[in-house]
Amino acid sequence: WRRWLRSASAAAFWEACCIVLVLTLSPLLFWCLTALIAIMLKSKTFVKKTRSGGVMKIVREHYLRDDIWCGSEACTECKQESTVLQKDACIESNLCSYPHYLIPDTNVVLHQIDVLEDPMIRNVIILQTVLQEVRHRSAPVYKRLKDIIHEKEKHFYTFTNEHRRETFIEREPGESANDRNDRAIRVAAKWYSQHLKMFESDTDGLKVVLLTNDQGNKQKAEESDLLVYKCEEYIKSLIANPELVDRLALSSDDKNEITSSKVLFPEHLPLSRIQAGIKSGSFLQGTFRASRDNYLEATVFVQGEGEDSTEVLIQGLQNLNRAVHQDVVAVQLLPRNQWVAPSSVVLQDEGTAKDDDVEEEEEEKLVAATLMSSMSLKPTGKVVGIIKRNWRPFCGMLNVSQIKESTRHLFTPADRRIPRIRIETRQASTLAGQRIMVAIDGWPKHSRYPNGHFVRSLGGAGEKNTEEEVLLLEHDVPHQAFSQAVLSFLPKMPWAITPEDMVRREDLRHLTVCSVDPPGCTDIDDALHCRELENGNLEVGVHIADVSHFIRPGNALDKEAANRGTTVYLCGKRIDMVPELLSSNLCSLRSNVERLAFSCIWEMNHEAEILKTRFTKSVINSKASLTYAEAQMRIDDTTKNDDTTKSLRGLNKLAKILKRRRIEKGALTLSSLEVRFHMDSETHDPIDLQTKELMETNSMVEEFMLLANISVAQKIYDEFSECALLRKHPAPPPSNYDILLKAAKSKDVVIHTDSAKALADSLDVAKVDGFPYFNTLLRILATRCMMQAVYFCSGMDSDFHHYGLASPIYTHFTSPIRRYADIIVHRLLAVAIGADSTYPDLMDKHKQSALCNNLNYRHKMAQYAQRASVAFHTQLFFKSRGILNEEGFVLFVRKNAIIVLIPKFGLEGTVFFDGKDKTAPNLVYDEEGPTLTIEQHTFHIFDKVKVTISLDDSNIQHQKIRMALIDPVISGVSVPAPDVGPQAKKPKLDQ
């Protein structure tokens, strides 16, 4: 057998077998090769330089197919399971009387997204070429476009033209990428036209209309016999739609038409020159921050290496050079002999809509304001170019032009840092008195103001719902209803705990657990228990809602929660981070229902010293949902001795020890007045306003939440030193304490700020005889000196210290229903104790750091939105109160005013002494004090005063609380105390 295998006859045999095999299989091989060639175009090879200096060869294969369908329900040729584009695609138009689909090019999508979002615009084909270009050029527009595509009633269809054989084109030699993409759009439009012609008899002449604003692209499309219109031309042809016409962004022709021929601003430098200038050090890159008080002044924040940063002062229209708040700009420093000081006078833009010679008059105003300043000079510069615009739709009101029949008007944004915007609208009379949204289209160098277009109306100015919408939009708070994609990941009801849920979970339903929260709280994150162990020690548990059980990494629900970052609490309204089914039901630790929890359990001795700590996923059944007041009454009521009350007393006793120990280590006890509105249960308008009173039980809950957060922070950092999500509170720079030190010195009190402990000890002994409120005022001022606490990733930072809590490490674990940071911490802790599995993003420090940046931004904007809501409801309260007389304290002294705090209402207001309608008194400001002498009276910080409080609603968009001095009596300055009549009978209360 072996000899035969080596013989010639065997070789001949094997050769014959191979020939038979090839002849048998060749048709099959030929068919496979043909199919492969049919779907694959070819491979593209290029080389790329790596970071280390090497060269990497990259091969990309581009596949083409025949089975990419058109998406039209009129088509019978494409084998599509479902269609998006309607057969009867009719929009009433003077240009197109036949049914038609729209194909917008990239520039139309980028600049006319407001038009495309209108409900009237339907049956639109978005080409893959366009989608990819938009994605690269504008992330916000790309997101808005994707949202439109997901709206079924809009009938927007994405056609993958880059992978369909008939519509794919290669870039020709010498052809720019932009020209190639324009040609790809025309080729796809041509294919659609020919494809739909086959069904013309069944569709009443269904056609495809290409929309472009590019004259060259339009001309080439017409040469290819395509039906093509400019976007403005098509929109203006739509019948009975003036609002849609107003939404059109201005084209270049329109911009030139409404500006003067005179050049008002310097030309912006091209990006290439800006980059070269930044590299050489002749330009600085930074974020442009406009002043709220002076429209002719701004600062550019330049981030240096590490913690270093500088601010460059910009003054005057020419130097501001068309930059808008939060733009990223390039600035050039002026010579030192041209450096100036920040101005000290409030300047609001009240100029006309004209572009003629306004700058000379305005510069004079600015110079006059600057000369008054005695502050030191600051680095001063000018904007030479824009690196990145940060334009968004702005809320505000229309200033209707005095010229009859005029269609051009000025729009005044609600945010004083944004310049007025010139828009064109034919419905000015309708929009007058309404809050509207306007987007900026551009700011030519010939125009005093940027040009923009109307986006939508929000409702009547001053109306509660409208003003709430404005403050949410202005503070970028995501508040739209949760989408179906998000809601689809919620558990199906009725929901119950299953045996699978109990795997790796401890049953703690037998424990006497209770929750303590503010009145009306439905999103209960945390619950507590305390019991005595057989060995005489105490077991204390903090049980937190197990939100991460319901929100799994990477799904639509998780992405939405990560984007929102936090629940936002407005007066009488809550914007949830997660859907209500979770926030107020399945995750909320309500009493007498079984709930999933994540528990942190300590064994302590009676001196609150921790002997053991353990973490476990659990199931609990809360025995009581109490308010702070109810819990306090149980603790104080000696006749009560049930298990829940015993638990509360044990917790309260330990909390006092924990707090004392924290303060001894240097933790700060600061103060800020929080207000509570009492609402009319029918109108939901505020009818009473009080500062919140804190009880022992507030402190009790706070102490155990802090302890849990610290314990969890240490655990996740020990396990994941590179990717733990932590929270730090940086120590304030010494200059922050200037006002606190001056205020204390004015009352002969010394404050030490060398460390948190030195500050805490100083505040504890700061007293003034006969002035019991002095210490509270001092703590309020100390709070204003603090830095903002921030989230960070442990692998990206080395300073973990929390200054305010005097803790070396800290995180947020205890509020996952309302904070996304806590959900991430729960996931890290679950992996650390083996209760859940990890996933790549959780262990990626760069992604964790990017997430922290978004969370810090969302938390900051939520705080601003909450303050704006309190301010608006305060205005509503005083609107129905007329003029009130109240006692207060001077909190700050300015050059022409004092800022007064009214403790009763937790309200701050300004008493101005240089009103436009009266002769200014003799004012002498001493910066060292600081003090302000008016006539013969000198004001110091913390002086007691009496003022009138009223609402000034003369400017409906910027209503404000006005204060006027009653006491001390200063001739020509103070006002007589008005008579305050009896208040009307109080309506029904709804706290």
Side-chain angles (χ1 to χ4, degrees):
W1 173 249
R2 288 194 191 96
R3 280 197 301 273
W4 182 81
L5 279 174
R6 288 194 292 270
S7 67
S9 58
F13 173 77
W14 291 122
E15 189 178 346
C17 287
C18 287
I19 291 167
V20 170
L21 191 65
V22 168
L23 290 171
T24 307
L25 295 178
S26 60
L28 183 62
L29 288 168
F30 178 79
W31 182 86
C32 288
L33 286 169
T34 306
L36 188 62
I37 292 164
I39 64 167
M40 190 177 82
L41 174 69
K42 63 178 181 180
S43 57
K44 295 180 180 179
T45 307
F46 57 95
V47 291
K48 181 181 177 183
K49 194 174 181 181
T50 63
R51 285 184 181 178
S52 59
V55 174
M56 182 189 293
K57 183 179 179 182
I58 296 175
V59 179
R60 284 186 183 160
E61 292 177 335
H62 194 90
Y63 294 90
L64 298 180
R65 309 170 63 105
D66 292 322
D67 58 349
I68 292 172
W69 314 128
C70 70
S72 172
E73 67 180 20
C75 175
T76 54
E77 185 180 290
C78 293
K79 300 183 177 101
Q80 46 206 359
E81 291 179 8
S82 61
T83 57
V84 174
L85 302 165
Q86 295 172 299
K87 185 177 181 180
D88 181 23
C90 290
I91 301 179
E92 287 187 84
S93 164
N94 293 325
L95 285 175
C96 310
S97 56
Y98 35 79
H100 56 278
Y101 299 148
L102 298 174
I103 298 183
D105 72 1
T106 306
N107 282 322
V108 167
V109 173
L110 284 169
H111 299 118
Q112 306 295 353
I113 189 70
D114 292 319
V115 170
L116 295 176
E117 283 177 330
D118 192 275
M120 187 178 182
I121 304 299
R122 299 187 303 275
N123 293 295
V124 177
I125 299 162
I126 301 295
L127 300 176
Q128 181 191 2
T129 308
V130 172
L131 199 61
Q132 287 174 341
E133 273 199 289
V134 170
R135 184 180 185 180
H136 290 138
R137 289 171 61 180
S138 174
V141 173
Y142 176 73
K143 185 184 182 305
R144 289 169 72 182
L145 182 59
K146 291 290 283 183
D147 289 344
I148 301 172
I149 291 167
H150 289 137
E151 287 182 45
K152 289 185 178 179
E153 61 275 11
K154 288 281 286 173
H155 302 282
F156 271 53
Y157 179 67
T158 308
F159 179 64
T160 319
N161 64 303
E162 297 289 357
H163 290 280
R164 171 126 194 157
R165 186 204 306 276
E166 295 96 328
T167 57
F168 172 76
I169 60 162
E170 289 201 73
R171 188 169 161 184
E172 294 175 350
E175 186 177 37
S176 70
N178 189 54
D179 288 344
R180 181 262 168 207
N181 288 342
D182 283 348
R183 186 161 60 87
I185 292 167
R186 295 194 298 272
V187 167
K190 185 77 173 175
W191 178 84
Y192 256 105
S193 297
Q194 293 169 344
H195 183 72
L196 294 174
K197 259 185 186 173
M198 294 188 283
F199 321 107
E200 205 164 4
S201 56
D202 303 327
T203 60
D204 298 324
L206 182 63
K207 291 183 170 33
V208 170
V209 174
L210 176 63
L211 296 182
T212 181
N213 286 332
D214 185 317
Q215 187 58 43
N217 194 21
K218 183 173 185 284
Q219 194 173 335
K220 287 176 182 174
E222 287 169 341
E223 288 167 4
S224 302
D225 295 326
L226 286 171
L227 194 57
V228 58
Y229 295 110
K230 282 198 168 186
C231 185
E232 292 87 347
E233 185 183 9
Y234 174 79
I235 296 300
K236 287 175 180 176
S237 78
L238 300 180
I239 297 166
N241 263 286
E243 190 173 306
L244 200 52
V245 175
D246 286 349
R247 287 188 176 193
L248 281 169
L250 291 173
S251 66
S252 300
D253 296 341
D254 293 332
K255 288 173 192 173
N256 293 332
E257 198 179 299
I258 63 173
T259 58
S260 70
S261 57
K262 182 179 178 183
V263 175
L264 300 177
F265 296 100
E267 190 85 60
H268 285 148
L269 297 179
L271 203 54
S272 56
R273 278 192 61 189
I274 290 172
Q275 288 168 340
I278 291 170
K279 197 172 182 181
S280 68
S282 54
F283 300 150
L284 298 172
Q285 176 178 324
T287 305
F288 184 88
R289 294 176 177 173
S291 167
R292 284 183 194 276
D293 300 320
N294 189 337
Y295 73 102
L296 294 174
E297 186 171 280
T299 54
V300 172
F301 180 80
V302 180
Q303 182 66 54
E305 290 185 13
E307 298 289 315
D308 294 336
S309 61
T310 54
E311 284 193 347
V312 179
L313 185 65
I314 315 287
Q315 282 191 351
L317 280 178
Q318 295 262 324
N319 292 337
L320 294 171
N321 198 9
R322 295 169 286 157
V324 175
H325 183 63
Q326 292 294 349
D327 283 351
V328 179
V329 300
V331 292
Q332 183 177 26
L333 284 176
L334 297 174
R336 276 185 174 270
N337 61 358
Q338 293 181 35
W339 286 11
V340 295
S343 63
S344 58
V345 173
V346 174
L347 282 180
Q348 300 299 333
D349 184 3
E350 295 169 355
T352 63
K354 297 178 183 177
D355 292 323
D356 307 330
D357 298 326
V358 287
E359 72 274 10
E360 286 92 349
E361 180 190 336
E362 288 166 340
E363 297 294 340
E364 284 172 20
K365 282 193 265 181
L366 182 63
V367 169
T370 307
L371 289 173
M372 287 177 65
S373 176
S374 60
M375 295 172 67
S376 57
L377 302 180
K378 290 202 169 185
T380 308
K382 62 180 180 180
V383 174
V384 294
I386 308 294
I387 297 168
K388 184 184 176 186
R389 286 291 192 189
N390 194 48
W391 293 346
R392 58 177 174 83
F394 300 104
C395 302
M397 293 184 72
L398 196 67
N399 296 100
V400 180
S401 171
Q402 300 301 311
I403 304 168
K404 204 174 180 182
E405 306 295 322
S406 175
T407 58
R408 288 173 189 154
H409 310 270
L410 276 181
F411 163 84
T412 303
D415 187 341
R416 292 186 183 277
R417 295 169 298 186
I418 306 301
R420 294 201 281 176
I421 303 166
R422 187 186 276 114
I423 70 166
E424 191 166 332
T425 176
R426 291 151 193 80
Q427 44 180 344
S429 56
T430 308
L431 298 178
Q434 290 196 5
R435 291 280 203 170
I436 63 173
M437 289 183 78
V438 162
I440 297 178
D441 298 326
W443 197 341
K445 61 185 177 181
H446 305 90
S447 176
R448 168 68 179 80
Y449 298 107
N451 299 319
H453 65 273
F454 167 79
V455 176
R456 66 186 173 103
S457 173
L458 299 171
E463 292 176 10
K464 192 173 174 182
N465 290 341
T466 303
E467 297 305 325
E468 271 187 354
E469 177 77 1
V470 168
L471 74 87
L472 289 170
L473 289 167
E474 283 297 293
H475 294 98
D476 195 17
V477 175
H479 60 287
Q480 67 280 8
F482 290 101
S483 68
Q484 281 306 311
V486 169
L487 297 175
S488 68
F489 285 96
L490 292 174
K492 302 293 181 283
M493 297 299 287
W495 174 85
I497 296 171
T498 65
E500 290 77 25
D501 295 333
M502 294 303 297
V503 177
R504 294 186 284 189
R505 196 177 286 275
E506 202 170 325
D507 190 343
L508 303 179
R509 285 174 281 199
H510 61 285
L511 294 177
T512 306
V513 173
C514 68
S515 62
V516 185
D517 291 282
C521 178
T522 60
D523 52 343
I524 303 172
D525 286 288
D526 54 88
L528 301 149
H529 90 271
C530 176
R531 64 171 179 166
E532 192 159 344
L533 299 173
E534 290 178 0
N535 62 8
N537 291 330
L538 297 170
E539 180 187 83
V540 176
V542 167
H543 310 277
I544 306 300
D546 189 5
V547 181
S548 62
H549 174 84
F550 297 96
I551 301 179
R552 303 309 296 164
N555 66 24
L557 178 56
D558 182 48
K559 288 176 181 174
E560 182 66 23
N563 177 47
R564 294 188 178 215
T566 179
T567 293
V568 181
Y569 295 91
L570 306 181
C571 300
K573 187 174 185 176
R574 190 178 80 204
I575 314 295
D576 281 327
M577 181 184 81
V578 298
E580 192 176 12
L581 179 64
L582 296 183
S583 65
S584 296
N585 189 348
L586 301 185
C587 291
S588 184
L589 304 182
R590 302 185 300 183
S591 57
N592 302 314
V593 288
E594 294 179 353
R595 287 291 178 258
L596 303 179
F598 211 146
S599 300
C600 174
I601 300 171
W602 304 277
E603 184 178 331
M604 295 181 175
N605 60 25
H606 287 265
E607 292 304 309
E609 292 167 337
I610 298 171
L611 307 174
K612 290 179 187 173
T613 305
R614 67 187 181 94
F615 306 97
T616 179
K617 291 230 174 185
S618 60
V619 180
I620 65 166
N621 189 321
S622 174
K623 303 302 183 281
S625 298
L626 306 172
T627 65
Y628 291 116
E630 288 167 346
Q632 192 67 54
M633 282 192 287
R634 277 178 178 258
I635 291 168
D636 297 341
D637 188 346
T638 53
T639 62
K640 282 191 176 291
N641 212 24
D642 56 275
D643 288 346
T644 300
T645 304
K646 284 181 186 174
S647 177
L648 287 168
R649 285 181 186 141
L651 290 165
N652 197 38
K653 182 183 173 186
L654 291 170
K656 288 177 181 177
I657 300 170
L658 289 169
K659 184 172 185 178
R660 188 186 71 238
R661 197 176 294 147
R662 262 194 328 108
I663 290 170
E664 284 170 359
K665 287 180 181 176
L668 295 173
T669 307
L670 301 177
S671 182
S672 60
L673 295 178
E674 290 187 65
V675 297
R676 169 170 292 158
F677 291 95
H678 296 262
M679 302 289 193
D680 186 306
S681 60
E682 292 170 1
T683 65
H684 299 289
D685 286 339
I687 54 176
D688 200 5
L689 174 61
Q690 296 174 339
T691 52
K692 293 181 183 177
E693 289 182 27
L694 298 181
M695 304 176 184
E696 271 187 6
T697 46
N698 289 81
S699 180
M700 176 190 80
V701 173
E702 181 186 14
E703 285 307 315
F704 286 107
M705 296 307 111
L706 293 175
L707 188 62
N709 287 335
I710 292 167
S711 299
V712 170
Q714 193 61 58
K715 176 68 175 176
I716 62 173
Y717 178 64
D718 290 344
E719 294 288 335
F720 309 109
S721 60
E722 286 292 298
C723 58
L725 192 154
L726 303 175
R727 187 165 175 83
K728 69 173 181 176
H729 182 213
S735 59
N736 279 30
Y737 288 122
D738 286 351
I739 190 68
L740 177 68
L741 298 175
K742 286 178 180 179
K745 188 180 176 183
S746 70
K747 299 295 180 187
D748 296 321
V749 171
V750 178
I751 298 291
H752 298 287
T753 59
D754 309 335
S755 66
K757 178 157 178 54
L759 175 61
D761 291 344
S762 298
L763 290 172
D764 285 342
V765 297
K767 291 179 177 63
V768 172
D769 292 338
F771 191 178
Y773 201 65
F774 171 74
N775 192 268
T776 303
L777 287 169
L778 212 54
R779 290 180 190 275
I780 290 170
L781 265 191
T783 305
R784 308 287 175 92
C785 301
M786 294 298 124
M787 304 289 284
Q788 187 79 35
V790 291
Y791 296 110
F792 69 101
C793 176
S794 58
M796 305 291 281
D797 208 326
S798 56
D799 177 20
F800 294 7
H801 190 73
H802 197 292
Y803 180 81
L805 297 174
S807 175
I809 195 165
Y810 192 68
T811 193
H812 272 163
F813 163 76
T814 54
S815 295
I817 294 177
R818 60 186 179 88
R819 290 189 308 232
Y820 187 77
D822 302 53
I823 292 177
I824 295 295
V825 170
H826 276 227
R827 289 173 181 168
L828 287 165
L829 184 60
V831 175
I833 65 171
D836 206 344
S837 54
T838 187
Y839 57 98
D841 284 7
L842 193 66
M843 299 296 141
D844 187 326
K845 66 180 182 180
H846 297 287
K847 289 189 176 175
Q848 287 279 49
S849 187
L851 174 65
C852 288
N853 290 338
N854 179 60
L855 295 179
N856 290 329
Y857 170 72
R858 291 295 186 204
H859 277 259
K860 181 174 71 175
M861 299 315 284
Q863 283 183 335
Y864 292 162
Q866 284 157 211
R867 288 176 200 164
S869 179
V870 169
F872 173 65
H873 280 77
T874 303
Q875 290 168 9
L876 286 180
F877 171 74
F878 283 105
K879 191 173 188 175
S880 59
R881 286 294 177 281
I883 300 176
L884 299 182
N885 310 330
E886 293 295 340
E887 288 187 342
F889 299 95
V890 176
L891 205 55
F892 299 103
V893 176
R894 298 286 186 247
K895 296 187 177 184
N896 59 345
I898 54 172
I899 293 164
V900 176
L901 173 72
I902 310 296
K904 179 179 176 182
F905 298 132
L907 174 69
E908 279 178 44
T910 307
V911 178
F912 287 100
F913 298 118
D914 59 352
K916 293 178 183 177
D917 54 347
K918 59 184 179 183
T919 307
N922 184 32
L923 303 176
V924 179
Y925 177 71
D926 178 9
E927 200 171 4
E928 286 303 309
T931 61
L932 179 65
T933 303
I934 305 169
E935 302 303 336
Q936 301 302 314
H937 185 88
T938 301
F939 286 100
H940 304 81
I941 293 178
F942 298 161
D943 280 359
K944 196 171 186 179
V945 294
K946 194 169 188 179
V947 296
T948 66
I949 310 172
S950 60
L951 178 68
D952 176 6
D953 56 3
S954 56
N955 182 336
I956 194 167
Q957 175 157 246
H958 295 119
Q959 297 184 43
K960 58 182 73 173
I961 299 296
R962 287 278 184 206
M963 290 187 182
L965 188 68
I966 298 175
D967 188 53
V969 177
I970 302 172
S971 177
V973 173
S974 54
V975 297
D979 294 327
V980 180
Q983 292 190 6
K985 186 180 176 182
K986 287 193 174 183
K988 297 175 188 174
L989 283 179
D990 179 16
Q991 287 193 19

